[in-house]
Amino acid sequence: MSAPPSPLQTAVWFSVISLAVALGMLGPHRAQARSETQWKAQEDGIQARVAEFRRDRHLIALQRRPELDRVARTHARDMARRNYLAHVSPEGNGPVERLHAQGVTGFTLAAENIGKTSESDPGAAVVRGWLASPQHRDNLMAPPFNATGIGVVRDSDGMFYIAQVYTTYPRH
């Protein structure tokens, strides 16, 4: 039977374990934060273009929500990683399933616009494309929508994948 560790050994061991746990927990979060904010200026540009389009048509502004940004970025990242462009993933999950899978609830209506471009100003290119497409334009103009999330991801070939989620939350 071995002797129990001394208080100093216990403290050192606890410090080592705590550091390892902290590094393990912080590492992925830092990497995720970098990937989520790398294209934030492009996302903000899309939000500004959509806001201007809606304002010019006397529609309410869409409130940007972090949880919706997360859903949009996840879908854009998935499309970029697996090289597809679709509202429904290869597994059959659409916008509503993606929202629910990430814990987003309380909305009564949801839709999304997606796009893909290699242009140097991907936000301008994709919004132009959405305005030229009747279904995407309808999403941009839908009066019930009052919240949004935007995700921009660039793949290793330089292609931008963009998703914008639109939702309606009850107004109180």
Side-chain angles (χ1 to χ4, degrees):
M1 190 160 124
S2 62
S6 72
L8 178 60
Q9 287 172 319
T10 301
V12 168
W13 181 243
F14 180 76
S15 295
V16 169
I17 290 173
S18 297
L19 179 61
V21 169
L23 290 174
M25 291 173 67
L26 291 177
H29 293 297
R30 279 195 209 134
Q32 182 179 5
R34 276 193 304 271
S35 69
E36 287 185 0
T37 59
Q38 183 175 10
W39 302 109
K40 186 173 181 331
Q42 292 295 334
E43 294 169 355
D44 292 346
I46 291 168
Q47 180 183 9
R49 286 177 177 90
V50 169
E52 179 182 9
F53 177 80
R54 288 180 63 90
R55 187 174 47 252
D56 289 350
R57 282 145 190 85
H58 308 288
L59 298 166
I60 64 168
L62 300 174
Q63 177 191 26
R64 185 103 172 259
R65 292 188 171 204
E67 69 274 18
L68 298 179
D69 281 349
R70 187 175 57 251
V71 172
R73 286 181 187 128
T74 300
H75 186 49
R77 188 177 307 115
D78 184 54
M79 290 187 297
R81 186 175 56 83
R82 299 197 293 170
N83 193 30
Y84 74 95
L85 183 69
H87 295 289
V88 177
S89 72
E91 294 77 26
N93 296 320
V96 172
E97 290 85 7
R98 285 190 288 280
L99 287 160
H100 287 156
Q102 292 200 37
V104 178
T105 60
F107 60 92
T108 57
L109 185 64
E112 76 180 354
N113 283 350
I114 58 173
K116 175 178 159 179
T117 184
S118 61
E119 289 193 27
S120 61
D121 187 351
V126 168
V127 171
R128 247 189 340 269
W130 293 343
L131 292 174
S133 161
Q135 292 90 353
H136 293 97
R137 187 180 174 93
D138 286 349
N139 285 342
L140 290 170
M141 292 178 55
F145 292 137
N146 58 14
T148 191
I150 304 165
V152 175
V153 174
R154 191 173 194 183
D155 71 10
S156 58
D157 295 330
M159 187 66 66
F160 287 95
Y161 288 79
I162 298 167
Q164 183 169 19
V165 177
Y166 307 93
T167 58
T168 302
Y169 287 93
R171 297 179 200 169
H172 302 291

